[in-house]
Amino acid sequence: MMKQVLSFLRSNAVGLIFIALGLAGGYLYYRLTLCASGTCPLTSTPYYSMLVGGLMGALAGDLLSALRARLTSRSSQ
């Protein structure tokens, strides 16, 4: 079981790092963006902004992983 977890973490390290960075960025966006009226949906709670930040981080990590795989496959040909 532990070997499977470590294997998963190693194979998805870039994506997990980008998700963590996105979550941190989403929280910073929540803390630093002020909504005077209180009706801003993205900054109403930290969970929404962290969710969006985590999704953006996941997309960026996936894009980077795909780009890296494409470049390594192109260089091996």
Side-chain angles (χ1 to χ4, degrees):
M1 176 75 171
M2 189 64 164
K3 288 183 182 181
Q4 292 172 342
V5 170
L6 289 175
S7 174
F8 174 79
L9 290 175
R10 282 190 197 120
S11 64
N12 296 311
V14 172
L16 293 172
I17 289 170
F18 272 87
I19 290 172
L21 289 174
L23 290 171
Y27 183 74
L28 284 174
Y29 183 78
Y30 164 75
R31 293 296 294 170
L32 300 176
T33 304
L34 300 176
C35 182
S37 65
T39 60
C40 305
L42 189 58
T43 58
S44 61
T45 66
Y47 304 114
Y48 293 136
S49 58
M50 288 175 70
L51 176 68
V52 170
L55 289 174
M56 298 281 280
L59 289 173
D62 186 49
L63 178 67
L64 183 67
S65 294
L67 183 62
R68 186 175 63 179
R70 188 177 208 187
L71 290 174
T72 56
S73 71
R74 203 179 269 185
S75 67
S76 65
Q77 290 179 354

